[in-house]
């Protein structure tokens, strides 16, 4: 597969950002994060528009929506812990792909996942320098007329909830423009997370070693595979995960899928060992609509807490229901913290959580750290730019190992798990009996 970049340019907000909003100070949570971009790729079938017409439509609507997502058009000044919102612009890349969309996504199980990264405008590690755009998109036209939008949004100023809100807001505005309505769609939007959790000019988590340039795929040390769990398989997993067999209440879909994946990974690292092994599993908990008073779902920025579960596995591994129970309790604990975070000790809750995570990471080897992220509830499949809804939403070939993130499938009933492991571990993971039984 060959991807040829046709053009690169910067799209500025349609209306200039007012002087009162030019200096955007980042929040405490923003400060504590490693430098990286969050990737999302959405795929669309042929829509009777030429590639040039489609891109002009997308550029115009992007300019419109950047008026309210103005930090995305700025540049981060890391020495000052602030974004210079003087409308430098978001990067817009046009590219051509020499294969059809059907050929590209038709065999997802055997797909070369490193090809996905060619649909992104930049590497996910190209962040935090003053020359790095805080938002970059790539519109790739396939040989059949299908197309894809690869979106990279800086994690320094926003989480995936914000990125999802942006994508759907961009799509709504694009559809309205295509229908002849030129006004900007106006959901309530707020960039005031620093007023909720003022920054302290702290250094963030240790660097993840993310590359700033696109790596040669032959040298890539992390293998990415996507495993699909359909509705019936998820129900069976949830029934297996029930710790109290007399209870009719089942664990959640997400924690059950995370549990089956986590057990498979842990079993790899305790096989043929005489001693027990400790694992640290982290998950993010979106605090929007969980606080008192509730933070609105369209509040922009990084607004999450990190839950941690310490799991000890013996030479025979660890029981599956126990893993799910520990994961569930760790998330519930942070949900309870969300309820009080705006009223008492919010900064202490945040800094203590990140400090505990940093200290634990320093004590454990890399194979003991598992990062789980749930993106199932974000409505990516609703992103209709006036040209139809996406037929698929994908992750990428991540350079970060022991990393698992979940997307809902197109119909909202199944879950697609993107698992990133080193090559030796991935081979063993695929042979795990539960993974073979429940996933496709």
């Amino acid at each position: 597969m060959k991807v040829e970049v046709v053009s690169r340019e910067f799209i500025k907000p349609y209306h200039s950002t007012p002087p009162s909003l030019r200096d955007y100070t980042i929040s405490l949570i923003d400060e504590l994060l490693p430098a990286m971009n969050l990737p999302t790729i959405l795929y669309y079938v042929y829509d009777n528009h030429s590639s040039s017409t489609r891109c002009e439509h997308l550029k115009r609507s992007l300019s419109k929506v950047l008026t309210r997502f103005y930090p995305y058009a700025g540049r981060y000044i890391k020495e000052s812990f602030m974004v210079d919102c003087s409308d430098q612009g978001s990067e817009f890349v046009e590219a051509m792909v020499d294969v059809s969309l059907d050929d590209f996504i038709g065999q997802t199980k055997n797909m070369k996942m490193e090809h996905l990264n060619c649909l992104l405008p930049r590497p996910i590690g190209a962040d935090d320098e003053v020359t790095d755009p805080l938002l970059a998109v790539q519109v790739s036209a396939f040989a059949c007329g299908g197309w894809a939008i690869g979106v990279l949004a800086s994690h320094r100023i926003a989480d995936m909830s914000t990125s999802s809100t942006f994508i759907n807001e961009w799509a709504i505005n694009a559809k309205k423009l295509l229908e002849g309505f030129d006004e900007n769609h106006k959901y309530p939007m707020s960039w005031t997370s620093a007023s909720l959790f003022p920054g302290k000019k702290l250094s963030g988590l240790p660097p993840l070693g993310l590359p700033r340039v696109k790596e040669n795929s032959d040298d890539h040390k992390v293998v990415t595979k996507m495993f699909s769990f359909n509705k019936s398989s998820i129900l069976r997993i949830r029934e297996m995960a029930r710790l109290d067999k007399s209870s009719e209440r089942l664990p959640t879909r997400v924690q059950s899928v995370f549990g089956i994946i986590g057990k498979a990974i842990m079993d790899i690292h305790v096989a043929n060992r005489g001693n027990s092994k400790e694992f640290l599993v982290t998950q993010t908990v979106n605090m929007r609509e969980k606080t008192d008073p509730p933070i609105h779902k369209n509040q922009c920025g990084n607004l999450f807490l990190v839950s941690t579960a310490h799991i000890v596995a013996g030479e025979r591994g660890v029981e599956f229901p126990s893993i799910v129970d520990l994961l569930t309790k760790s998330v519930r604990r942070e949900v309870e913290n969300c309820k009080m975070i705006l009223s008492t000790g919010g900064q202490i809750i945040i800094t203590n959580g990140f400090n505990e995570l940093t200290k634990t990471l320093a004590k454990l080897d890399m194979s003991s750290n598992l990062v789980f992220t749930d993106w199932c509830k974000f409505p990516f499949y609703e992103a209709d730019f006036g040209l139809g809804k996406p037929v698929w939403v994908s992750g990428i070939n991540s350079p970060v190992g022991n990393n698992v993130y979940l997307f809902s499938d197109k119909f909202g009933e199944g879950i697609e798990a993107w698992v990133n492991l080193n090559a030796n571990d991935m081979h063993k993971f695929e042979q795990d009996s539960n993974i073979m039984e429940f996933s496709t």
Side-chain angles (χ1 to χ4, degrees), residues 26-28 31 81 197-203 347-348 351:
I26 66 172
S27 75
L28 176 61
E31 288 179 3
F81 294 84
F197 308 109
K200 294 185 176 181
K201 297 187 176 181
L202 302 174
S203 59
Q347 289 191 327
I348 295 175
T351 53

Side-chain angles (χ1 to χ4, degrees), residues 7 118 137 206 221 288 290 391 393 396:
S7 67
C118 297
V137 301
K221 297 179 181 179
R288 295 169 180 84
K290 298 181 180 70
V391 294
V393 176
I396 63 161

Side-chain angles (χ1 to χ4, degrees), residues 23-33 71 76 80-83 155-159 162 190-204 287-288 295 299-305 341 346-347 350-351 354:
D23 295 337
Y24 174 75
T25 304
I26 66 172
S27 75
L28 176 61
I29 303 175
D30 298 338
E31 288 179 3
L32 294 170
L33 297 176
Y76 180 57
S80 304
F81 294 84
M82 54 84 68
V83 177
H155 210 351
R156 180 60 62 211
I157 64 168
D159 54 19
T162 301
S190 179
W191 288 88
T192 57
S193 59
S195 66
L196 301 174
F197 308 109
K200 294 185 176 181
K201 297 187 176 181
L202 302 174
S203 59
M287 65 174 70
R288 295 169 180 84
I295 295 174
Q299 172 75 45
C300 298
N302 286 294
L303 290 162
F304 63 86
L305 296 177
I341 200 166
Q347 289 191 327
I350 292 168
T351 53
F354 277 90

